[in-house]
Amino acid sequence: LTWDRGKELSAHALLTSETGLPVYFADAKSPWQRGSNEHLNGLLRQYFPKGTDLSRWNADEIAAIATALNNRPRGILGWRTPAEAFADQLRSVQQQTVATIG
């Protein structure tokens, strides 16, 4: 996982110890090191222009936007949606952990 350098991410060591997921920090002023983050920010800006006060949106409206984004095909995922890619990953993990008798 590559994170930006913000104080809100100070618990990175806990995340790594709890999940085993290594955390890396992008260099300052190097957005290309956070490509997926920058791409998602661009998609979010279609709904929330920079500087938008998110408190004016209710939970249902934000959930609808999340659903729209999670069901939007992405080239990086072979034109699957994030929801499809996530479901495929879950199926793959379940198949790997199921014991067989034989």
Side-chain angles (χ1 to χ4, degrees), residues 65-74 80-84:
I65 292 168
T67 298
L69 290 175
N70 284 329
N71 288 293
R72 179 180 178 156
R74 310 275 173 84
R80 293 176 300 159
T81 68
E84 291 168 335

Side-chain angles (χ1 to χ4, degrees), residues 20-33:
L21 180 69
V23 175
Y24 304 93
F25 289 90
D27 294 322
K29 299 181 181 173
S30 301
W32 59 89
Q33 294 177 353

Side-chain angles (χ1 to χ4, degrees), residues 5-6 11 20 23 29 38-39 41 44 47 50-51 59 72 94 99:
R5 296 175 173 268
V23 175
K29 299 181 181 173
E38 293 300 317
H39 180 70
N41 284 347
L44 287 168
Y47 297 93
K50 193 166 189 159
R72 179 180 178 156
Q94 288 171 346

Side-chain angles (χ1 to χ4, degrees), residues 11-96:
H12 66 89
L14 177 61
L15 175 69
T16 296
S17 70
E18 294 289 323
T19 66
L21 180 69
V23 175
Y24 304 93
F25 289 90
D27 294 322
K29 299 181 181 173
S30 301
W32 59 89
Q33 294 177 353
R34 299 177 282 115
S36 63
N37 172 264
E38 293 300 317
H39 180 70
L40 180 59
N41 284 347
L43 295 176
L44 287 168
R45 294 284 175 247
Q46 295 174 7
Y47 297 93
F48 308 113
K50 193 166 189 159
T52 297
D53 179 2
L54 294 180
S55 68
R56 66 178 257 216
W57 300 88
N58 67 42
D60 290 336
E61 292 167 325
I62 291 174
I65 292 168
T67 298
L69 290 175
N70 284 329
N71 288 293
R72 179 180 178 156
R74 310 275 173 84
I76 193 76
L77 300 174
W79 298 109
R80 293 176 300 159
T81 68
E84 291 168 335
F86 184 64
D88 290 347
Q89 179 65 27
L90 289 178
R91 277 192 295 278
S92 172
V93 170
Q94 288 171 346
Q95 289 172 356
Q96 293 172 13

